Amino acid sequence: MINKFTVNEIKERIEEKLLHHFGREAKSATKHQIYKSTCLVVRDIMSELWNKNHDLIDSHKQKQIYYLSMEFLPGTSLKNNIFNLEIENVFKEALNEFGENIETLYEMEPDAGLGNGGLGRLASCYLDAIATCGMAGHGFSICYEYGIFKQKIKDCKQIEEPDDWLNLGDIWLIPKYDEAEEVHFGGKLEEVWDENGKMKLIHRDYTTVIGIPKDMLITGYGSEVVNTLRLWKSTSPISINMELFAKGKYLKSMEEKHFAEVISKILYPEDAHVEGKSLRIMQQYFFISASMQALVKRHLIRFGTLDNFHEKVGVHINDTHPTMAIPELMRIFLDEYEYEWDKAWEIVCKTITYTNHTIMSEALEKWPEDLFAKLLPRLHSIVVEINRRHTVMLMREFPNNEALRNEMAIIYDGKLKMANLCVAAAHKVNGVSALHSKIIKEKLFNGFVKLTPDKFTNVTNGIAYRRWLCQANPKLSDFIEELCGSEFKYNAMNLENLMKYKEDSNVLERLSIIKRENKIRLADYIKKHNNIIVNPDSIFDVQVKRLHEYKRQLLNLFHIMDLYNQLKENPNKDIYPRTFIFGAKAAAGYHMAKQIISLACHLSKMLEDDPVVRDRLKIVFLENYSVSLAELIMPAADVSEQISLAGKEASGTGNMKLMINGAITLGTMDGANVEILNAVGNENIFIFGLLVDEVEKIIQSGIYRPWAYCHENKYIANIIKLMTDGIDGIVFGDIINSLTAGYNSNADQYFVLADFDSYKMAQEDVSLAYQNKTKWGQMSITNIAKSGIFSADRSIKEYADKIWGIKPIND
Ligand code: 26W
């Protein structure tokens, strides 16, 4: 257990920070100063723990895991750290004595939004769980100066604004200037023969970029282990070229500095879509090279040799974005420590593990070889050699299957295929849900499975459920504690004790009151931000996630347009009131996604302007969906929309956050929805839509004719007509075209029209079920009770066991 502090101690510590950092006493300090001082006190407490367990780790010389990810989405830290350290009460009181409310301070903190969506948030949930489980595991990423853009909706269109989170957010970052690393770009390779007749490659004329670590300390719940998320900021060794400056070439004199600083300037707001951009390659290499050099140095200090590197260090690759860790470690072993290829390769393979997060072909990284070679000549030469050896092996194993060999190649058709490099090198590869892991084994990596079946495994995603339940939904969390005790905060499986109350009408009533209070809290936010008054007794039907066609926000909108058409045809139609809540950012260059946002917003206006429908149907599009906004939305949801085309959503994690807050899933047999169904049973979820195999069959046979639906299905025909006539005066031609265009075989790629009927029926079931209060309450409590398996603590224990081979520090 963590050291307990008295209110006075905390007060004194805050006063000390105010005085020494801001030259102020509490009575004259500004809110910002109090906020920052409070954060600094929490940071100190974490640092004290960090130092304590660092000594322990050093003395045990245990293996540590390094989780490499281009993205982390921590959201806010103050509330989370105070909760994890179980010191909220003393802070509350201490701040009270300064006349300050802790909640107000929580609200001041900007989100650290260094990620796009699921992949980044998962990385942050996992760091929380690693610390909670008492393990040594650290993150490495980039200290983006600008995180994921701030989304504004103006005239029903998405506008992107820069997110300068460091303004207040940097309070959590501890710069470590003396641990900076040099990273080299460009230049050329030269062959040099040494006196023993051995050829060495020398890298010359490169540009140097400096990586400066900014460390964020990571706490776990009820744990003394504090780990590190190391974020690298790029800078230049030369701030100004004085020679050029003296010649009056002012811009040129600062070119090198700009080149270096642009690397960590901004997060690519691209989700599940890659473009072969040189800045992205530089970002990847920058943080990988700095991280690997730092790891190797640290290992040498601890052990004096690299021979046991893989026994003490595990490097985990979060999707392919950090793949360069493989050739970069090879480079360090070969060039800097003069290892032989085979020995180096063996150690590297035993060090690397890899998680795949998507099978969408547009999201699989394939770098143009010429670009890669130009930016990273030494790494390129190493990948060429890895590929040469890989090809020899493939020739031996599959002599008669050229197609398979090409598919499995690391370099093919002028491209570096990063996923294949990962699978070739990693000793463990996993997918993120049972279904997804099955698909990667049967499809994407089938050739590799034939060679090394044991390499492949599954770890179903999980969430830092204390953030999503205890912190985001204190009323529900307190009620669970009242019923079942606090054990569920340590072991999520204990939520299952709630099943005892499934028939208890008082408990169900209390749950529905809590839900209503959370809906009112969200309704207040909606009133303030969207100026829409929503009815807390309507069904809150929620779809919050990145905007992507495969996630099918459009199918949701189709259903709403259908309801609208029905109400217009028969104003007396009995439709149970619904509030459809959307939150979604679209990648700035993703035209169709932006059109869909626009459609949602215009539809929202059209419904609101229509007195016949507005009390029964509402759309609320909440701008700037983020971790903090999610914390407000999840507790208020009745229905969780998880309606991706089967086979496309690797796992989903929003589905788990909504489930634990008592929302009922309306979903396809995709990703972790399948496991949610297994956990709660058929009667506590609404499943619809084509199955993976059915989708596959339709695609294979080439029989899909989306435009036929426009003639044969009157509901679809009416929706298309509505969109053609104009919604709030706008005709959404591109959307209509994308679904039905001519005889284009790509039309309706994600089977919106094929799944429409089935979705519509499931939605009718939802409306009916909701009107039976007891039944709905029982469904809801079952969902909460069965959500324990989706705890990130469970996922992390599986990673530790099956993939990383690590144990808690104190074991
Ligand atoms: C810029 C290229 C790019 C490509 C892919 C950026 C980001 C990606 C990610 C793989 C997208 C992503 O976030 N995938 C999601 O990962 C979650 C965590 O495993 C899963 O729950 C989601 O289903 C998956 O879409």
Side-chain angles (χ1 to χ4, degrees):
M1 266 303 112
I2 290 140
N3 223 339
K4 289 293 167 217
F5 297 93
T6 65
V7 174
N8 256 339
E9 276 169 335
I10 297 299
K11 243 185 94 181
E12 276 167 20
R13 282 186 177 221
I14 295 176
E15 277 166 341
E16 187 264 337
K17 294 291 175 202
L18 280 170
L19 189 66
H20 292 130
H21 286 258
F22 306 103
R24 288 288 174 91
E25 285 181 25
K27 56 178 187 286
S28 63
T30 66
K31 260 200 174 11
H32 274 144
Q33 290 165 341
I34 293 188
Y35 165 75
K36 286 200 165 181
S37 300
T38 306
C39 294
L40 287 172
V41 172
V42 174
R43 215 180 83 175
D44 281 356
I45 297 172
M46 299 195 291
S47 292
E48 289 155 20
L49 287 169
W50 188 92
N51 274 298
K52 201 166 122 188
N53 79 62
H54 219 70
D55 293 345
L56 198 67
I57 293 169
D58 270 353
S59 62
H60 283 205
K61 299 207 182 303
Q62 276 175 335
K63 181 172 181 182
Q64 302 195 49
I65 287 303
Y66 297 89
Y67 195 91
L68 308 185
S69 180
M70 281 280 275
E71 305 189 6
F72 281 87
L73 263 179
T76 59
S77 290
L78 180 60
K79 184 173 176 175
N80 186 249
N81 288 328
I82 284 185
F83 174 89
N84 275 348
L85 298 168
E86 299 173 285
I87 50 178
E88 188 169 60
N89 286 338
V90 276
F91 270 81
K92 233 185 220 165
E93 277 186 47
L95 288 163
N96 262 341
E97 294 193 14
F98 299 135
E100 214 40 79
N101 180 343
I102 200 165
E103 296 292 333
T104 333
L105 296 193
Y106 290 159
E107 279 160 23
M108 287 172 65
E109 184 173 352
D111 273 24
L114 310 180
N116 276 285
L119 167 113
R121 182 55 228 173
L122 185 80
S124 282
C125 282
Y126 280 177
L127 289 189
D128 179 289
I130 293 172
T132 300
C133 294
M135 296 172 188
H138 313 276
F140 275 123
S141 192
I142 296 171
C143 188
Y144 300 106
E145 201 173 317
Y146 296 94
I148 185 69
F149 64 85
K150 283 196 189 129
Q151 181 195 50
K152 291 268 162 67
I153 303 291
K154 246 199 177 140
D155 302 326
C156 292
K157 286 194 184 74
Q158 167 177 299
I159 310 283
E160 302 89 26
E161 285 179 1
D163 163 45
D164 56 349
W165 71 289
L166 283 173
N167 237 334
L168 271 179
D170 78 335
I171 196 76
W172 297 107
L173 301 177
I174 306 173
K176 301 270 173 72
Y177 295 101
D178 52 344
E179 293 178 47
E181 295 289 349
E182 263 193 29
V183 179
H184 298 162
F185 290 96
K188 54 179 193 269
L189 293 179
E190 232 169 70
E191 292 180 359
V192 178
W193 298 89
D194 70 10
E195 62 273 18
N196 305 320
K198 228 177 132 187
M199 197 265 285
K200 278 189 88 169
L201 281 175
I202 307 289
H203 190 186
R204 288 193 205 288
D205 303 334
Y206 48 74
T207 305
T208 299
V209 173
I210 307 285
I212 297 172
K214 305 263 178 161
D215 287 354
M216 188 185 270
L217 301 181
I218 305 290
T219 53
Y221 182 62
S223 161
E224 290 214 348
V225 172
V226 173
N227 290 319
T228 309
L229 168 56
R230 172 159 287 192
L231 303 172
W232 296 97
K233 178 190 157 58
S234 63
T235 179
S236 169
I238 306 156
S239 49
I240 286 186
N241 182 325
M242 294 305 282
E243 215 177 298
L244 289 170
F245 188 83
K247 288 184 190 151
K249 297 182 173 168
Y250 307 121
L251 285 179
K252 209 152 180 65
S253 71
M254 283 174 242
E255 220 167 48
E256 213 156 310
K257 180 174 155 73
H258 287 149
F259 170 85
E261 289 184 350
V262 80
I263 293 175
S264 63
K265 189 63 81 185
I266 178 160
L267 167 86
Y268 268 91
E270 212 71 69
D271 188 77
H273 179 83
V274 276
E275 273 178 276
K277 292 269 172 66
S278 65
L279 180 58
R280 188 155 166 103
I281 298 186
M282 294 200 308
Q283 287 190 331
Q284 294 187 346
Y285 185 62
F286 164 69
F287 100 93
I288 290 301
S289 177
S291 305
M292 293 307 104
Q293 293 182 65
L295 277 188
V296 167
K297 274 183 199 152
R298 186 169 144 68
H299 184 85
L300 281 172
I301 292 170
R302 291 177 82 202
F303 299 97
T305 169
L306 291 179
D307 291 352
N308 64 345
F309 190 72
H310 56 286
E311 288 164 17
K312 302 295 172 186
V313 174
V315 171
H316 195 79
I317 298 186
N318 195 28
D319 216 78
T320 55
H321 322 153
T323 307
M324 290 177 205
I326 297 160
E328 175 66 3
L329 276 176
M330 286 299 286
R331 181 191 71 76
I332 297 172
F333 275 76
L334 298 171
D335 296 0
E336 294 182 14
Y337 297 95
E338 303 197 331
Y339 270 71
E340 297 293 329
W341 183 280
D342 289 327
K343 185 74 194 149
W345 183 245
E346 186 194 334
I347 295 175
V348 169
C349 292
K350 286 181 174 168
T351 304
I352 299 283
T353 51
Y354 156 63
T355 301
N356 172 278
H357 293 264
T358 181
I359 54 159
M360 307 258 299
S361 60
E362 66 266 39
L364 295 177
E365 292 186 302
K366 298 180 194 84
W367 294 120
E369 187 177 4
D370 47 356
L371 180 64
F372 193 92
K374 190 170 137 236
L375 291 170
L376 308 169
R378 179 59 182 132
L379 240 60
H380 173 250
S381 72
I382 291 171
V383 177
V384 167
E385 179 59 14
I386 295 173
N387 184 55
R388 190 189 66 77
R389 290 166 181 251
H390 181 64
T391 309
V392 170
M393 181 276 291
L394 290 176
M395 273 305 274
R396 191 178 65 231
E397 298 290 335
F398 305 112
N400 304 318
N401 195 342
E402 192 188 340
L404 184 64
R405 292 199 308 269
N406 291 343
E407 195 186 298
M408 294 173 70
I410 293 166
I411 303 179
Y412 183 72
D413 200 18
K415 300 225 164 63
L416 265 61
K417 303 210 279 183
M418 303 313 260
N420 285 349
L421 176 50
C422 280
V423 179
H427 62 282
K428 285 284 173 189
V429 173
N430 73 292
V432 289
S433 71
L435 177 67
H436 168 68
S437 294
K438 180 170 173 272
I439 295 175
I440 64 175
K441 277 167 71 171
E442 288 172 1
K443 300 263 149 61
L444 196 57
F445 301 134
N446 192 248
F448 291 96
V449 173
K450 292 191 174 111
L451 298 174
T452 50
D454 296 342
K455 193 183 267 198
F456 294 85
T457 184
N458 170 249
V459 179
T460 298
N461 281 170
I463 57 170
Y465 70 98
R466 286 164 293 264
R467 177 184 277 264
W468 299 104
L469 172 62
C470 309
Q471 295 171 43
N473 195 346
K475 287 183 172 148
L476 178 58
S477 175
D478 289 350
F479 186 45
I480 297 172
E481 190 165 344
E482 188 187 317
L483 295 172
C484 311
S486 59
E487 201 34 46
F488 75 95
K489 293 186 191 170
Y490 300 91
N491 178 358
M493 292 314 281
N494 278 309
L495 285 168
E496 186 127 20
N497 289 329
L498 279 173
M499 285 308 278
K500 287 203 292 264
Y501 301 96
K502 197 180 161 192
E503 308 293 333
D504 185 328
S505 56
N506 289 327
V507 167
L508 298 184
E509 178 61 21
R510 284 277 299 277
L511 281 177
S512 94
I513 292 170
I514 290 169
K515 180 63 79 182
R516 194 165 187 282
E517 287 169 350
N518 289 327
K519 286 164 82 173
I520 291 172
R521 182 172 70 159
L522 179 59
D524 291 344
Y525 181 92
I526 292 171
K527 171 75 187 67
K528 195 163 152 209
H529 289 84
N530 292 52
N531 199 26
I532 298 178
I533 295 172
V534 301
N535 171 8
D537 295 312
S538 64
I539 303 173
F540 277 24
D541 182 323
V542 171
Q543 187 171 20
V544 285
K545 47 186 82 251
R546 279 301 286 256
L547 212 137
H548 201 292
E549 284 162 285
Y550 85 80
K551 294 178 189 279
R552 299 199 296 192
Q553 281 92 351
L554 192 54
L555 179 58
N556 191 341
L557 295 172
F558 259 56
H559 169 241
I560 302 169
M561 288 188 278
D562 179 50
L563 291 176
Y564 171 84
N565 283 337
Q566 291 182 46
L567 274 177
K568 293 311 276 186
E569 204 180 297
N570 174 11
N572 296 321
K573 194 178 160 65
D574 186 24
I575 287 182
Y576 195 87
R578 280 229 209 183
T579 304
F580 294 92
I581 296 166
F582 291 88
K585 286 180 182 175
Y590 189 172
H591 173 69
M592 199 52 72
K594 288 184 144 179
Q595 285 288 300
I596 293 169
I597 290 180
S598 217
L599 172 61
C601 295
H602 280 288
L603 254 178
S604 171
K605 270 179 79 186
M606 185 177 82
L607 300 180
E608 207 50 23
D609 288 344
D610 189 331
V612 175
V613 295
R614 72 165 157 244
D615 292 332
R616 284 175 287 177
L617 283 188
K618 269 181 209 294
I619 295 179
V620 174
F621 191 97
L622 287 170
E623 67 182 10
N624 204 36
Y625 181 59
S626 56
V627 172
S628 286
L629 192 50
E631 288 165 2
L632 182 68
I633 297 171
M634 302 296 176
D638 294 310
V639 177
S640 159
E641 299 262 2
Q642 307 301 336
I643 60 178
S644 51
L645 174 64
K648 298 291 179 194
E649 190 69 273
S651 163
T653 44
N655 46 4
M656 303 168 185
K657 293 161 199 166
L658 286 156
M659 176 192 190
I660 202 169
N661 279 287
I664 319 295
T665 304
L666 164 57
T668 48
M669 288 295 271
D670 202 13
N673 297 352
V674 178
E675 285 153 87
I676 294 180
L677 165 67
N678 287 341
V680 300
N682 222 338
E683 61 292 357
N684 296 302
I685 190 167
F686 300 95
I687 295 289
F688 74 96
L690 293 164
L691 305 177
V692 173
D693 290 348
E694 293 169 341
V695 173
E696 183 70 10
K697 251 194 213 140
I698 297 174
I699 294 173
Q700 293 287 324
S701 63
I703 55 165
Y704 189 47
R705 303 274 179 273
W707 51 92
Y709 286 93
C710 309
H711 309 297
E712 289 158 15
N713 183 315
K714 72 170 184 203
Y715 301 105
I716 291 178
N718 284 339
I719 295 165
I720 302 285
K721 176 160 188 322
L722 179 68
M723 291 172 74
T724 317
D725 292 348
I727 284 168
D728 186 32
I730 309 288
V731 178
F732 289 90
D734 292 347
I735 296 181
I736 301 172
N737 267 335
S738 81
L739 295 175
T740 63
Y743 291 85
N744 163 6
S745 64
N746 250 342
D748 195 15
Q749 264 193 84
Y750 300 105
F751 292 78
V752 170
L753 303 184
D755 268 347
F756 175 77
D757 263 345
S758 161
Y759 181 59
K760 178 179 154 85
M761 283 193 304
Q763 281 285 23
E764 280 163 19
D765 293 345
V766 169
S767 279
L768 272 179
Y770 191 81
Q771 292 172 62
N772 181 340
K773 245 189 129 179
T774 307
K775 181 176 166 193
W776 191 269
Q778 290 178 330
M779 292 176 83
S780 179
I781 198 172
T782 307
N783 271 271
I784 303 168
K786 302 285 186 180
S787 63
I789 48 165
F790 300 112
S791 158
D793 304 347
R794 187 269 311 148
S795 309
I796 284 306
K797 284 177 192 144
E798 284 186 33
Y799 273 100
D801 242 37
K802 298 200 278 197
I803 296 183
W804 299 333
I806 57 163
K807 290 199 156 41
I809 295 172
N810 284 314
D811 248 27

